[in-house]
Amino acid sequence: LSRTIQEHKICTILYFALMIFNLYVFNKKGQCIYYREWNRQQPAENLAEEQQLIFGFLSAITTFVSKTSQEVNDKFQCYSTSSYKMHYFESATGLRFLINTDPRTPSLQRDLRKIYSEYYVEFVSKNPMYKLGDTISCAHFIGIVDKFITGHANFKSE
């Protein structure tokens, strides 16, 4: 019985400790076309500079993985430190989706693919008012992504 109680406490602690911090979408030129934060621990001093650094990191790490991997289709998917975990998905068209979370959060690959295929494709790329490469300001996309993230099992607000 005590082991079951301990396992329950561990699961409860892990569940309540996990957080989604922010989401970036970059076009293939490296411009951040969408950014949203929910539970960011420290505000960015210069968000535009941070976005450039993140895109540079993504370019370097994805190139490194593709050149050093034994598998032809091996792709970079996540990077973890003691304070955050970076989940990454790149579409066939070169769009890059990145979510930063608590380091103990399980893989969000399926969630990033869903944001791309069900939300970006439907509400942004098919929107006749959206010009490819512009900052995403489509209300349907913004609303549904926000609802999806805040309703996610790994979302916790402070």
Side-chain angles (χ1 to χ4, degrees):
L1 180 65
S2 66
R3 182 176 179 192
T4 305
I5 293 170
Q6 286 176 336
E7 287 174 356
H8 176 72
K9 285 181 182 178
I10 290 169
C11 290
T12 302
I13 289 167
L14 287 175
Y15 176 78
F16 287 110
L18 301 179
M19 283 191 190
I20 295 174
F21 302 137
N22 51 21
L23 167 68
Y24 299 83
V25 179
F26 294 96
N27 65 18
K28 61 183 171 184
K29 294 179 182 177
Q31 299 162 322
C32 185
I33 58 172
Y34 182 75
Y35 175 77
R36 174 78 163 94
E37 63 183 54
W38 293 274
N39 295 305
R40 188 174 180 142
Q41 302 298 311
Q42 297 175 357
E45 290 180 30
N46 182 335
L47 188 57
E49 181 181 354
E50 177 183 277
Q51 291 168 350
Q52 288 176 333
L53 290 170
I54 288 174
F55 186 80
F57 172 77
L58 292 174
S59 295
I61 195 84
T62 54
T63 300
F64 175 78
V65 169
S66 69
K67 290 185 184 230
T68 59
S69 177
Q70 301 291 327
E71 301 293 322
V72 175
N73 292 325
D74 216 5
K75 304 225 185 260
F76 170 70
Q77 294 184 356
C78 83
Y79 173 81
S80 189
T81 71
S82 61
S83 57
Y84 69 91
K85 186 173 187 179
M86 179 185 289
H87 307 262
Y88 176 75
F89 168 74
E90 184 172 347
S91 73
T93 59
L95 285 172
R96 297 172 184 210
F97 293 76
L98 172 96
I99 291 181
N100 287 314
T101 67
D102 178 271
R104 295 166 291 188
T105 303
S107 174
L108 296 181
Q109 271 302 298
R110 280 192 234 156
D111 302 293
L112 288 169
R113 287 177 192 273
K114 181 176 183 152
I115 290 170
Y116 168 69
S117 64
E118 293 182 26
Y119 306 146
Y120 176 83
V121 169
E122 290 301 315
F123 300 112
V124 179
S125 69
K126 291 182 180 179
N127 183 340
M129 303 301 288
Y130 179 73
K131 183 180 171 208
L132 200 60
D134 282 355
T135 300
I136 298 172
S137 58
C138 306
H140 283 92
F141 174 81
I142 293 167
I144 201 149
V145 167
D146 195 59
K147 184 177 180 180
F148 176 70
I149 295 293
T150 58
H152 196 279
N154 291 308
F155 182 82
K156 176 186 179 274
S157 62
E158 295 191 286

